[in-house]
Every structure is written in structure tokens, then in C-alpha cells.
């Protein structure tokens, strides 16, 4: 029996990678300094796993920005617009330009699209393909890191996204072909990589094909069969581990079982029933091993050793120990690094802490499960088993978890609680009269730049170095300066800037019962962006107003409308570590009621425009379409519960970013938000087409500039995007706004971009008036 890990967090225990990346982008450290930091993190990760006794330790799971972008560069699938940039810049700057865009030495290139990685809050850079796409080995990162680990005395298992999943993760940039048609052009580069790795001494190769958890077409399944048969023909002695995660194989199971691979990995956290399906099918090859993903790679709850050992025993009884590997359900990049770093009992009580496990602890759980399953435990490992049992039993009976008043309120929700008083058509007339906004009204998505100074105030306040009054005075000054800037720039609907907030989910969780927090529980969202998800351990309620104070203060500073800014219930759920002892729908409804109370209080305070952000609606979709209807029913209902307690003339906005809406556009309409703002700039307004085809009835703000890139778009660029939008959506339905919040940007670029954005909106107003 072996232990197997699929991937380890690459940000570093103290977010060393984030800090090094941002220093490099700012020109404050050299490329050599950045790469040294990266090498140090890799070394620490490999050595930790080796010390914990992991048999199959991954390499190439590390990335400076994104693993899909790494593979795009490896395969030489570099879009045409970067060719000139590549001639005058090194490969590292090319890599970051593809991720973030760049304005350098007179060159101006826009970033590649970014979207969510399956149903997680991780974002990847979307590959772009043309009909005549060429592939060639451009970057040898995967080979270099395998050699690097060998020099440390550790022979790793190189990890690659499988060829079929790589193509399906991408996007066709012209018509007339399907990206899966490129498989025969792509495969030779994979062969070159595998051949080199084998020559360098690689014995195992992990090929991730997570699309096997989705509904595939016959053509896509045939591509899987073709690829793995070809790999087996050329590399019969390589131990190919085919990994699927986030769900069952479903109707793809027969295909997977017929593949000539050494090992199949199963996510037994998301889909424990598939083990029975495989064992009872009688179709598992007699030489095929099973990697059992029994430790949850996506949540932070301690493993239940008894349940895991039952699954391991079942597999062992059927196949023998030699054909079993024990593993996490998926890569641990979705887990924080190390629970041992949580030393502050004020943020994480000892009772709750005993229920948790982060990446380092999950590696230890894998080791211990092997010991128990192999009957190799000693007194120390036996003690671990007892501690695990006690912690899990304590959690089941803890008085911290249940609130009968919350349960009663959820049970008594009426149909009227998830419906506005009147239809949008009636509401719109009242809102036009009440708000008196111009054509192409301008706004931002919520946050403004959080400078080092602003973050330092929060740190000092938490340390007791600033009193509440001193902290509030500083925040009030920053808020007022932001309101004045927006007024001077000519923005129509203002925001207060959110300087009091650390994170759009964490801020609310800190004020809701049923949530707790970590000090160092960071996970990567994209690039250098790390988030610290709250932990939902119990029933959720709102003891006090959360945002009214700052919204009311900002509105008192200006005659213009100021939006109230909230995070929606589905996003709070999706971007938290969620309790696994009740249904997600139940927890989401509890959060929806808490947000509803806040919306009502904002309206009472005179806030006439309230934004309830739901960027995670799409990412929460189950991977299999047959399960969508149930999810969308409770998710959309939760949003409507949160938004339906206000009068007709109060305008409800929502925001969504980096999502594809084609197949859920009816559900988006069912949310019944008065205004929806969406990311559109990287896709050059392509995402807007579905709203146009659907004849989306409510108002819409397609983002006109990419806030995830440091480049400042010109007025003409934004005008062109608005012209594209005006061609498919009636102009009286359009808003003008950035793609997302501005928290991570710098003030200099923000001021320039918003000034150009307002100018673009004014130019569009003149153009429309001239036509009329």
C-alpha cells in the first residue's frame, strides 16, 4: 500500500510567493530573487512530504501564477498578440503579460481571459486556440522541476493536466472547428515531455483529466480513449496515474475503466459510491491500481478515520493492499498550509480547532490511514486514532453548532419572502423617477484601492495600537477623499470604498454568528491574490447591522446616490469553508435571511441602491448537468430571499465576474435583480451575447476595463466596448463600470482608468443624442 499526494499549496506558509511576485511586478526585486523564493517553497514542500512518509510526491504542482498558464507556455500555445512582446522580453515577463496584460516600452498587450476552475474559487487563465493552432515544446518547467527534486534526493511524480482536459479548458478564438479536433497536433508535444521525463528517471506520471467528472460527448470520450492508448503504446513502462476529482466518473466510468493506465484516482469525498460501482462492475483491469481520495482536499474538517478505513478496507478486500494508494480527494492547493500556525485562541477556539486539518495535517492523516490500514500502528498512532474519534464525536454534540431560533425561521419561510412586491417593469418606472440617473450611468463595483497605509491601520487597530475612535477617524477621512474623487470625476452612483473591510466574505463572516476565522488560513484565488475563507461551523444569524454605519456616513457626504455594498448568500457560502454536517442549501438559506435583514436596514437608513454581489453563483453549479436544477432552485431562491424585503423604488444590483452564462441565463433572469454587472472586457463583450440573445429584460453593466490587469485602457478602447454592447443591448438598459472591485489596484492607475471610463460614457451619451 502506498501514500499518494496530488498537489500541495504553493503560496508558502506566510504567502512568500504572493509577496515575491508583487515585489517583482513593482520592479523591487530581480527575476533571480523571485525564482529563488519559488525554489525555496518547492524544496520545503517536497521535504515536508518526504518527512511525512508520502510515497508519491508531486512535482510541477507549483506555479508562479497558474498551472493552466504554465502548460500553455510549455506547449507553446502563445496567442498571436504576444509574438512581438516575446521578441523583446524574457519568458518570465511574457508569462506574466499573458496572465495580467502589460504596458511596457511602448508595447500594450491585453491579458488572456480568466475563469473559475470547475466549482472552486480558484481562477485559471483560459487557453486560446485557432483552427491552425501549432504546438511545440516552449517551456521545460516540468522537466526542470523534476530534475530539481532529484538533486534534493527526492524522486517525484510529475503532474500534468491531461491533453483532453487541457483542450476543453480552452476556448476557440475563431469559428469552423472544435478545440478537441486539435488533439492529434497536441499529443506529440506530450510525447516529447513524457519521453524526456522518462529519460531523466521518472517512474510515475500523474495526468489530471477532471473533465471525466463532467458530461462528455462521444467525441470527447473517444479522444480520451485515443490519447491513453497512444500514450500506452509509446510508454508501456511508465506508470500513468489518471486522476479525476470533484465528482464521480458517472457515464464516463466505462470509458475510464477501459483505459490502459497503471492507476485510477477516485474522489471518494465528493462521490464515495463510485468505489462500489467500480468494484461491482468487474471491469477494472487486473493490473490497474486504485488511488483512494479519502482525505478532503477542499475543506478543512478533520478526517473521520473510521469512515475512511471502511472504504480502504472494502478496496483492500477486493484488490489486495498492493493495488491500493491512499490520497487526498484532489490537490491540496485548495487547503490552507498548516494548522500549527493558528496560535491565537481568540480567533480560533481550541474546541473548534480540534475539528480541523490543513494541508500539512492532511498529509499526516494520509500517513496515519496507511498505518491503520496496513495494521502497522504503534502506541503513538493508536493515540492519534483515539484523538480523531474523540474530536469527531465532540463536534457532533457541541452546543456551539445549533441555534433553534435560526432553524425555526428557516422552516417558516413563506413564498412571499422570495418575491419583490411588483414586477421589474413596474419597479423600473418608480426607480427612474426616484433616482434620476443619466443614460449610460457610471458606477464602480464596490471597493477602491486598499493601500499599504490603509492595511497598516487595520493591523494597528487589531493589535490595540489604535483606539476604535482613532481607527474610525482614519477610515472616515479615506472614505471622504474617495467620495470627493468620485464626485470630481463625474461618476453617477458612488461607493464608499470599503476601507473598513478586509475581504468581501471575511468581513461579513466576522459579524455573523456561526462563523469563525483563522489567522493564517490563506488559499490562492488567482495569481498573487490570496483569500482567507471564513469557517462556517454552526447555524448562521446576524446579531447586529454590519454595513449601515459606513453606508450612512458616506451618503451623508454627498447629494449623489451611494450604493450599499453586500456579499450575497451563495458567494458567502461558496467562498467559506462550509460545515459538512448539514446540507449546503440549509446553510445558504440561513445566510440569506441574515443578508435580508441587512438589506432592510440599509433601506431604512436611506440607501436607495443596494448591491448584493453574487460572483459565485455559476461556480457553485454541480459538475453534472442532471444535478443543476436542484442547486439552482435553492441558490436563486436564497438570493431572492436576501433581496426581496425592500420597496419597489429601491434598486437592487448584483455583480458576477468570470463566468459563462449561456446555459443558466434563465436562472440569472430569475434572480430578478434590477441591475446586473458582469465581467466583459477580457472577452471583448463576448459574454454579453447571451444576454442579448435571451433579450434579458433588466438593466446590465458590462465591465469596460479589466481590473485584474495593471494596464490602463484608453477612452477609445472603452468606447469601442460600449459600442459593441450598444449593438446588442438597448442603450437605456446599459450601465458603465469596471469588471470588478478595485481593492487590489493602485490609486494612480485607478484614477486614470475611471477618468477615461467616465469620458467614454459621456461620449456615448452625446453619440446617442446625436442619433436621436
Amino acid at each position: 500500500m502506498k501514500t499518494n499526494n496530488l498537489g500541495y499549496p504553493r503560496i508558502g506558509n506566510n504567502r512568500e510567493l504572493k509577496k515575491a511576485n508583487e515585489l517583482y511586478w513593482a520592479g523591487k526585486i530581480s527575476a533571480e530573487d523571485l525564482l529563488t523564493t519559488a525554489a525555496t517553497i518547492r524544496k520545503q514542500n517536497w521535504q515536508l512530504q518526504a518527512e511525512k512518509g508520502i510515497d508519491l510526491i508531486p512535482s510541477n504542482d507549483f506555479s508562479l501564477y497558474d498551472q493552466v498558464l504554465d502548460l500553455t507556455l510549455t506547449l507553446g500555445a502563445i496567442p498571436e498578440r504576444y509574438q512581438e512582446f516575446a521578441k523583446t522580453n524574457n519568458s518570465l515577463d511574457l508569462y506574466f503579460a499573458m496572465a495580467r496584460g502589460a504596458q511596457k516600452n511602448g508595447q500594450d498587450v491585453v491579458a488572456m481571459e480568466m475563469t473559475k476552475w470547475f466549482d472552486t474559487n480558484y481562477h485559471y487563465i483560459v487557453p486560446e486556440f485557432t483552427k491552425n493552432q501549432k504546438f511545440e515544446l516552449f517551456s521545460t518547467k516540468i522537466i526542470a522541476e523534476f530534475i530539481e527534486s532529484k538533486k534534493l534526493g527526492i524522486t517525484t511524480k510529475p503532474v500534468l493536466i491531461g491533453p483532453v482536459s487541457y483542450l476543453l479548458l480552452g476556448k476557440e478564438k475563431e469559428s469552423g472547428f472544435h478545440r478537441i479536433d486539435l488533439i492529434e497536433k497536441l499529443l506529440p508535444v506530450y510525447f516529447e515531455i513524457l519521453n524526456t521525463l522518462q529519460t531523466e528517471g521518472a517512474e510515475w506520471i500523474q495526468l489530471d483529466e477532471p473533465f471525466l467528472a463532467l458530461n462528455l460527448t462521444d467525441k470527447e470520450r473517444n479522444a480520451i480513449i485515443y490519447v491513453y492508448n497512444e500514450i500506452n503504446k509509446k510508454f508501456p513502462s511508465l506508470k500513468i496515474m489518471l486522476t479525476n476529482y470533484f465528482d464521480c466518473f458517472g457515464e464516463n466510468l466505462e470509458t475510464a475503466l477501459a483505459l490502459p493506465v497503471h492507476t485510477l484516482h477516485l474522489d471518494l469525498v465528493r462521490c464515495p459510491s463510485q468505489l462500489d460501482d467500480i468494484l461491482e462492475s468487474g471491469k477494472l483491469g487486473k493490473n490497474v491500481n486504485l488511488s483512494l481520495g479519502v482525505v478532503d482536499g477542499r475543506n478543512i474538517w478533520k478526517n473521520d478515520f473510521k469512515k475512511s478505513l471502511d472504504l480502504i478496507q472494502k478496496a483492500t478486500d477486493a484488490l489486495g493492499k498492493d493495488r491500493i494508494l491512499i490520497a487526498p480527494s484532489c490537490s491540496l492547493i485548495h487547503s490552507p498550509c498548516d494548522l500549527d500556525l493558528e496560535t491565537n485562541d481568540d480567533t480560533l477556539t481550541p474546541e473548534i480547532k480540534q475539528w480541523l486539518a490543513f494541508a500539512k495535517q492532511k498529509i499526516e492523516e494520509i500517513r496515519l490511514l496507511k498505518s491503520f490500514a496496513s495494521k502497522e500502528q504503534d502506541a503513538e498512532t493508536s493515540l492519534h486514532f483515539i484523538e480523531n474519534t474523540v474530536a469527531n464525536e465532540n463536534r457532533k454534540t457541541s452546543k456551539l453548532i445549533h441555534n433553534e431560533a435560526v432553524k425555526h425561521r428557516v422552516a417558516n419561510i413563506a413564498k412571499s419572502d422570495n418575491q419583490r412586491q411588483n414586477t421589474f417593469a413596474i419597479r423600473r418606472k418608480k426607480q427612474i423617477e426616484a433616482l434620476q440617473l443619466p443614460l449610460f450611468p457610471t458606477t464602480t463595483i464596490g471597493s477602491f484601492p486598499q493601500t499599504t497605509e490603509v492595511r497598516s491601520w487595520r493591523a494597528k487597530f487589531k493589535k490595540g495600537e489604535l483606539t476604535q475612535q482613532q481607527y474610525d477617524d482614519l477610515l472616515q477621512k479615506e472614505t471622504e477623499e474617495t467620495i470627493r474623487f468620485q464626485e470630481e470625476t463625474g461618476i453617477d452612483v458612488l461607493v464608499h470604498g470599503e476601507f473598513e473591510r478586509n475581504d468581501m466574505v471575511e468581513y461579513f463572516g466576522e459579524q455573523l454568528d456561526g462563523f469563525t476565522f483563522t489567522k493564517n488560513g490563506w488559499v490562492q484565488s488567482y495569481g498573487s491574490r490570496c483569500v482567507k475563507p471564513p469557517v462556517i461551523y454552526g447555524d448562521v444569524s446576524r446579531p447586529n447591522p454590519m454595513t449601515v454605519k459606513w453606508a450612512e456616513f458616506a451618503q451623508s457626504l454627498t447629494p449623489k446616490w451611494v450604493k450599499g455594498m453586500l456579499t450575497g448568500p451563495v458567494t458567502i457560502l461558496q467562498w467559506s469553508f462550509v460545515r459538512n454536517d448539514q446540507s449546503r442549501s440549509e446553510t445558504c438559506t440561513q445566510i440569506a435571511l441574515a443578508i435580508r435583514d441587512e438589506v432592510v436596514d440599509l433601506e431604512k437608513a436611506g440607501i436607495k441602491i443596494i448591491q448584493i454581489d453574487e460572483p459565485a453563483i455559476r461556480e457553485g453549479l454541480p459538475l453534472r448537468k442532471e444535478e443543476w436544477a436542484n442547486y439552482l432552485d435553492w441558490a436563486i431562491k436564497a438570493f431572492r430571499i436576501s433581496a426581496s424585503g425592500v420597496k419597489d423604488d429601491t434598486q437592487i444590483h448584483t455583480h458576477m465576474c468570470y463566468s459563462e452564462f449561456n446555459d443558466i441565463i434563465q436562472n440569472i433572469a430569475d434572480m430578478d435583480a434590477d441591475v446586473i454587472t458582469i465581467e466583459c472586457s477580457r472577452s471583448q463583450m463576448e459574454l454579453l451575447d447571451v444576454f442579448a440573445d435571451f433579450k434579458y429584460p433588466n438593466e446590465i453593466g458590462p465591465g469596460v476595463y479589466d481590473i485584474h490587469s495593471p494596464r490602463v485602457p484608453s477612452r477609445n478602447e472603452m468606447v469601442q466596448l460600449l459600442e459593441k454592447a450598444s449593438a446588442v443591448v438597448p442603450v437605456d438598459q446599459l450601465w458603465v463600470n469596471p469588471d470588478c472591485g478595485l481593492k487590489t489596484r493602485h490609486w494612480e492607475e485607478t484614477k486614470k482608468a475611471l477618468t477615461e471610463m467616465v469620458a467614454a460614457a459621456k461620449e456615448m451619451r452625446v453619440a446617442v443624442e446625436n442619433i436621436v
Side-chain angles (χ1 to χ4, degrees), residues 337-349:
C337 291
D338 186 2
L339 187 63
D340 292 341
L341 300 175
E342 301 300 321
T343 56
N344 188 343
D345 290 348
D346 293 335
T347 55
L348 195 64
T349 66

Side-chain angles (χ1 to χ4, degrees), residues 123-141:
H123 302 66
Y124 74 91
I125 302 298
V126 180
E128 299 176 10
F129 302 125
T130 60
K131 186 187 296 186
N132 297 316
Q133 182 70 50
K134 294 180 180 178
F135 299 100
E136 61 179 350
L137 186 60
F138 182 85
S139 164
T140 56
K141 171 185 179 293

Side-chain angles (χ1 to χ4, degrees), residues 455-521:
R455 293 195 299 271
S456 74
W457 299 340
R458 187 181 303 124
K460 289 178 181 178
F461 174 63
K462 287 186 174 181
K463 292 176 183 176
E465 297 173 12
L466 290 175
T467 65
Q468 182 72 60
Q469 188 59 54
Q470 288 171 325
Y471 183 50
D472 285 353
D473 288 346
L474 291 167
L475 293 177
Q476 285 182 358
K477 181 174 179 292
E478 194 77 11
T479 300
E480 181 165 6
E481 288 176 0
T482 300
I483 291 290
R484 298 294 169 241
F485 161 70
Q486 292 172 86
E487 288 178 326
E488 292 162 7
T489 306
I491 293 174
D492 300 303
V493 176
L494 315 187
V495 297
H496 76 287
E498 303 181 12
F499 301 108
E500 78 284 6
R501 304 186 189 185
N502 43 13
D503 174 82
M504 66 181 288
V505 173
E506 185 175 5
Y507 177 78
F508 291 95
E510 286 176 341
Q511 301 179 78
L512 292 169
D513 288 344
F515 282 74
T516 192
F517 298 86
T518 63
K519 185 178 180 182
N520 294 289

Side-chain angles (χ1 to χ4, degrees), residues 645-762:
V646 293
K647 299 173 184 175
D648 286 347
D649 60 356
T650 295
Q651 191 173 72
I652 297 293
H653 290 220
T654 192
H655 172 68
M656 298 183 182
C657 52
Y658 297 108
S659 293
E660 297 284 347
F661 302 110
N662 301 51
D663 37 16
I664 60 167
I665 186 63
Q666 179 62 61
N667 307 99
I668 300 300
D670 290 343
M671 292 172 71
D672 199 26
D674 299 307
V675 181
I676 181 173
T677 54
I678 61 171
E679 176 276 327
C680 261
S681 62
R682 284 198 183 192
S683 69
Q684 293 293 297
M685 293 289 163
E686 285 179 14
L687 289 178
L688 204 56
D689 290 344
V690 64
F691 287 86
D693 294 341
F694 181 76
K695 292 183 172 52
Y696 184 75
N698 300 19
E699 297 178 20
I700 184 166
V704 294
Y705 88 86
D706 178 16
I707 69 89
H708 296 92
S709 170
R711 66 182 294 274
V712 176
S714 68
R715 179 190 318 182
N716 287 339
E717 189 177 329
M718 288 190 262
V719 166
Q720 288 171 8
L721 290 174
L722 287 171
E723 287 173 343
K724 287 184 178 181
S726 300
V728 295
V729 175
V731 294
D732 62 347
Q733 287 179 237
L734 286 172
W735 284 64
V736 181
N737 45 263
D739 272 345
C740 204
L742 300 163
K743 175 182 176 181
T744 60
R745 302 270 48 96
H746 298 292
W747 267 110
E748 182 182 4
E749 67 199 55
T750 296
K751 288 181 175 181
K752 289 178 182 177
L754 290 180
T755 299
E756 294 298 297
M757 185 188 81
V758 171
K762 289 179 177 177

Side-chain angles (χ1 to χ4, degrees), residues 24-148:
Y24 177 72
W25 298 336
K28 294 180 180 179
I29 64 171
S30 66
E32 183 180 359
D33 293 332
L34 172 60
L35 297 177
T36 297
T37 298
T40 300
I41 294 170
R42 288 194 295 270
K43 178 180 178 181
Q44 291 170 345
N45 288 352
W46 288 328
Q47 290 180 337
L48 181 150
Q49 293 172 79
E51 289 164 4
K52 292 290 184 182
I54 298 299
D55 298 308
L56 299 181
I57 297 171
S59 60
N60 200 45
D61 55 332
F62 178 87
S63 176
L64 288 170
Y65 199 97
D66 166 51
Q67 70 269 15
V68 182
L69 180 60
D70 291 351
L71 185 53
T72 293
L73 205 69
T74 295
L75 300 171
I78 301 165
E80 180 65 30
R81 66 182 176 279
Y82 300 104
Q83 298 304 322
E84 286 301 315
F85 188 89
K87 291 176 183 177
T88 55
N89 292 275
N90 61 41
S91 60
L92 184 61
D93 288 343
L94 169 63
Y95 174 82
F96 286 132
M98 292 165 69
R100 308 173 68 238
Q103 289 173 318
K104 182 178 179 182
N105 301 327
Q107 295 176 305
D108 186 355
V109 289
V110 297
M112 297 171 71
E113 270 190 72
M114 184 163 67
T115 196
K116 297 294 179 70
W117 176 255
F118 297 90
D119 59 348
T120 75
N121 187 31
Y122 178 79
H123 302 66
Y124 74 91
I125 302 298
V126 180
E128 299 176 10
F129 302 125
T130 60
K131 186 187 296 186
N132 297 316
Q133 182 70 50
K134 294 180 180 178
F135 299 100
E136 61 179 350
L137 186 60
F138 182 85
S139 164
T140 56
K141 171 185 179 293
I142 183 171
I143 297 158
E145 291 182 8
F146 175 75
I147 294 171
E148 182 183 333

Side-chain angles (χ1 to χ4, degrees), residues 9 11 119-122 246 270 296-302 329-339 342 348 352 355-359 361-362 395 503 505-506 509 513-525 530-540 569-584 587-588 590-591 619:
I11 59 175
D119 59 348
T120 75
N121 187 31
Y122 178 79
F246 302 156
R270 283 291 185 94
D296 194 343
R298 288 190 47 180
N299 214 332
I300 43 73
W301 303 108
K302 182 168 286 187
S329 59
C330 61
S331 169
L332 297 176
I333 66 165
H334 307 290
S335 295
C337 291
D338 186 2
L339 187 63
E342 301 300 321
L348 195 64
I352 296 173
W355 303 336
L356 309 182
F358 291 178
Q361 288 69 40
K362 290 176 186 295
R395 184 174 168 223
D503 174 82
V505 173
E506 185 175 5
D513 288 344
F515 282 74
T516 192
F517 298 86
T518 63
K519 185 178 180 182
N520 294 289
W522 298 99
V523 293
Q524 185 183 26
S525 177
C530 297
V531 294
K532 189 152 56 72
V535 177
I536 305 177
Y537 67 87
D539 289 333
V540 178
V570 180
T571 297
I572 290 177
L573 181 88
Q574 281 294 124
W575 294 359
S576 299
F577 291 121
V578 183
R579 58 188 291 192
N580 58 3
D581 62 336
Q582 72 175 15
S583 71
R584 292 173 70 84
T587 302
C588 193
Q590 293 177 359
I591 300 169
E619 83 181 44

Side-chain angles (χ1 to χ4, degrees), residues 269-365:
V269 174
R270 283 291 185 94
C271 186
S273 63
Q274 65 182 318
L275 180 60
D276 284 336
D277 293 340
I278 290 170
L279 296 179
E280 292 170 7
S281 73
K283 294 182 180 180
L284 182 69
K286 63 181 181 180
N287 296 317
V288 178
N289 297 343
L290 290 182
S291 169
L292 307 181
V294 291
V295 172
D296 194 343
R298 288 190 47 180
N299 214 332
I300 43 73
W301 303 108
K302 182 168 286 187
N303 187 261
D304 185 329
F305 284 165
K306 289 182 179 179
K307 287 184 178 179
S308 293
L309 287 169
D310 285 345
L311 290 168
I312 295 167
Q313 188 63 52
K314 184 180 294 184
T316 302
D317 288 346
L319 305 176
K321 292 180 183 178
D322 291 349
R323 292 174 64 189
I324 300 302
L325 297 84
I326 301 175
S329 59
C330 61
S331 169
L332 297 176
I333 66 165
H334 307 290
S335 295
C337 291
D338 186 2
L339 187 63
D340 292 341
L341 300 175
E342 301 300 321
T343 56
N344 188 343
D345 290 348
D346 293 335
T347 55
L348 195 64
T349 66
E351 181 175 7
I352 296 173
K353 186 177 178 181
Q354 70 169 325
W355 303 336
L356 309 182
F358 291 178
K360 179 182 174 183
Q361 288 69 40
K362 290 176 186 295
I363 291 295
E364 176 69 2
E365 287 180 335

